[in-house]
Amino acid sequence: MNYPRLDIDCGKIHHNAQFLITQLSLKNISITPVTKAFLGHPIIAQVLIDAGATMLADSRIENLQKMTESGISIPKMLIRTPMLSQAASVIKYSDVSLNSEVEVIQRLSYLAEQQNCRHDIIIMVELGDLREGVMPNRMIDFVREIISLPNITIKGIGANLACRYGVAPDDQNMKILSDLADGIEVTFGISLEIISGGNSASVNWALQRTGLTRVNNLRIGEAIFLGCEPLEQENIKGLHTDAVSLTAEVIESNIKPTLPWGNRGLNAFGENQRLQDRGVVSQAILALGRQDVCVSGLKAPNGIKIMSSTSDHLVLESSQKPLFVGETVTFSLDYSALLSSMSSRYIHKYFKAHKGAKIFQPGVSKSKVNIISYSSC
Ligand SMILES: *Cc1c(COP(=O)(O)O)cnc(C)c1O
């Protein structure tokens, strides 16, 4: 066994994706699963396809390219507005992209024309979270500037909430999006196929929605992988919350005082901790650090507390029996911990196949192995 290791239960991810796709289709909302937390890993892409996904989304064109080159052939959506410098790859590796700049769309149009293909766009609207999007009162003018660009199809409009400031999706802001779609259709005589209302923060809104708006698509990552909704960090009923876990190994275990000694300055990360003398404690060090994972996103098992971390060490205290050298500790992860640990080349990734899976490995279509391990990402 190699540590630290990230265990990914594809069966649970498959269940979560299938559950959300089914439940939200009852509300006439399609789901485009977002693979960015798994860096567009083809195994995860295949799990999502097996669960019913008909399009996949990622924020990085490199991830979409990786999927394409691994044989994932369903349509792909780029969900970060493209860099001008990457526009050629955007045309090549994505079928539809989210956009909020006229200049970028002009460039996409020019390149699509050159490559003799079409590119679909979804125009993003600012609804209050102050990340990407055209201001609502500018939408009609914006569309006017791009409506006749060659080789570009305006597939729909969309919005993203809850990321920068945690602004919640509700009937009011979704109605504004919906009304804007109506306005664009009437003004330009076109029809908008996709009204993409948001991300995992919209799941609860969508499950309870009363059908008042035209929102018919969500782009979902976190809810599928962690079974959690981001606004309140609450578990979503019916979903697994333990599809992913991170396990690391104890490299030192000792009884140590809680107060350091010697003259103190800032620590290696420029932090100055206030300390209390709690006598001696049972302290353990794991071979896991800030270079591997966003430590604040880890949740330790009962009886164990994460006290601090450095580049390569995670310092724990256990209130029950002391941990021993070579023992392992398993943590649950939030979104930032998942994102960082997937991105770390020091963390070994183990995918446990889901039932009935055509196990997917680049270049190998079928295999009897149940666990596929990857050392790098
Ligand atoms: C990351 C992202 C999503 C998915 O967010 P989750 O919270 O993981 O569901 C959707 N849309 C955009 C634009 C994103 O950047």
Side-chain angles (χ1 to χ4, degrees), residues 34 36 79 98 131-132 160 199-200 219-222 335:
V34 175
K36 70 186 177 204
I79 57 173
L98 308 188
R131 205 178 72 179
E132 75 273 39
N160 195 69
N199 51 39
S200 292
R219 311 168 305 270
I220 306 284
E222 179 165 359
Y335 196 70

Side-chain angles (χ1 to χ4, degrees), residues 303-373:
I304 292 177
K305 213 168 152 200
I306 300 172
M307 301 309 293
S308 25
S309 61
T310 61
S311 320
D312 311 296
H313 303 80
L314 193 68
V315 183
L316 307 179
E317 283 181 20
S318 57
S319 58
Q320 292 146 10
K321 62 177 178 39
L323 297 165
F324 56 87
V325 172
E327 186 174 357
T328 59
V329 180
T330 298
F331 301 86
S332 60
L333 299 87
D334 74 2
Y335 196 70
S336 59
L338 172 59
L339 206 57
S340 50
S341 54
M342 266 311 291
S343 304
S344 167
R345 57 192 282 257
Y346 301 102
I347 293 192
H348 302 267
K349 288 99 186 167
Y350 290 84
F351 295 86
K352 183 167 168 239
H354 60 294
K355 247 196 181 144
K358 298 188 287 292
I359 291 190
F360 190 91
Q361 242 178 325
V364 184
S365 59
K366 268 197 177 137
S367 158
K368 288 205 176 72
V369 270
N370 190 39
I371 308 251
I372 303 172
S373 80

Side-chain angles (χ1 to χ4, degrees), residues 39-346:
L39 321 182
H41 202 295
I43 289 182
I44 294 300
Q46 190 60 50
V47 171
L48 297 168
I49 292 168
D50 290 350
T54 53
M55 185 187 275
L56 293 172
D58 204 290
S59 53
R60 312 280 168 145
I61 200 69
E62 292 87 345
N63 294 347
L64 295 180
Q65 176 177 357
K66 179 162 72 183
M67 286 194 265
T68 304
E69 288 171 352
S70 308
I72 301 292
S73 58
I74 67 168
K76 296 172 194 76
M77 177 189 276
L78 179 68
I79 57 173
R80 184 172 68 184
T81 189
M83 293 182 230
L84 274 176
S85 60
Q86 274 190 334
S89 312
V90 174
I91 298 293
K92 191 163 175 196
Y93 296 112
S94 72
D95 302 275
V96 51
S97 57
L98 308 188
N99 280 273
S100 57
E101 287 287 350
V102 169
E103 200 180 345
V104 173
I105 302 168
Q106 285 168 336
R107 179 102 191 127
L108 293 172
S109 164
Y110 171 77
L111 290 163
E113 201 178 10
Q114 271 198 333
Q115 293 182 26
N116 203 19
C117 63
R118 292 201 70 82
H119 187 73
D120 294 342
I121 60 164
I122 290 175
I123 305 168
M124 295 301 275
V125 186
E126 175 60 68
L127 289 181
D129 201 50
L130 299 182
R131 205 178 72 179
E132 75 273 39
V134 179
M135 290 298 285
N137 61 0
R138 275 268 309 138
M139 263 317 254
I140 297 289
D141 288 340
F142 187 96
V143 175
R144 187 169 288 120
E145 287 184 67
I146 57 164
I147 186 90
S148 41
L149 287 172
N151 299 52
I152 293 287
T153 306
I154 305 173
K155 203 75 176 167
I157 62 172
N160 195 69
L161 289 169
C163 270
R164 185 173 168 204
Y165 287 117
V167 172
D170 55 29
D171 286 342
Q172 219 170 354
N173 46 35
M174 290 300 106
K175 176 143 192 326
I176 291 173
L177 187 66
S178 203
D179 290 349
L180 277 171
D182 291 345
I184 291 167
E185 288 182 341
V186 169
T187 310
F188 300 100
I190 58 174
S191 80
L192 299 174
E193 198 182 302
I194 300 176
I195 314 296
S196 188
N199 51 39
S200 292
S202 297
V203 167
N204 284 336
W205 169 83
L207 287 170
Q208 290 152 21
R209 89 190 202 128
T210 46
L212 291 174
T213 78
R214 289 183 54 184
V215 172
N216 63 3
N217 173 264
L218 294 176
R219 311 168 305 270
I220 306 284
E222 179 165 359
I224 294 175
F225 303 129
L226 301 176
C228 178
E229 80 80 45
L231 282 170
E232 311 284 341
Q233 292 288 321
E234 270 172 9
N235 298 342
I236 298 170
K237 237 177 98 189
L239 299 187
H240 294 291
T241 54
D242 57 350
V244 189
S245 62
L246 179 62
T247 303
E249 184 175 332
V250 177
I251 53 172
E252 183 191 299
S253 179
N254 220 324
I255 304 294
K256 289 200 180 179
T258 43
L259 273 193
W261 62 88
N263 293 322
R264 287 180 67 207
L266 300 177
N267 74 5
F269 293 91
E271 302 151 343
N272 182 10
Q273 300 118 306
R274 291 191 182 283
L275 298 170
Q276 242 187 341
D277 192 355
R278 295 177 288 114
V280 295
V281 291
S282 169
Q283 171 182 305
I285 300 175
L286 297 191
L288 181 74
R290 298 193 196 190
Q291 193 164 5
D292 307 298
V293 65
C294 173
V295 171
S296 61
L298 295 177
K299 197 166 153 236
N302 283 341
I304 292 177
K305 213 168 152 200
I306 300 172
M307 301 309 293
S308 25
S309 61
T310 61
S311 320
D312 311 296
H313 303 80
L314 193 68
V315 183
L316 307 179
E317 283 181 20
S318 57
S319 58
Q320 292 146 10
K321 62 177 178 39
L323 297 165
F324 56 87
V325 172
E327 186 174 357
T328 59
V329 180
T330 298
F331 301 86
S332 60
L333 299 87
D334 74 2
Y335 196 70
S336 59
L338 172 59
L339 206 57
S340 50
S341 54
M342 266 311 291
S343 304
S344 167
R345 57 192 282 257
Y346 301 102

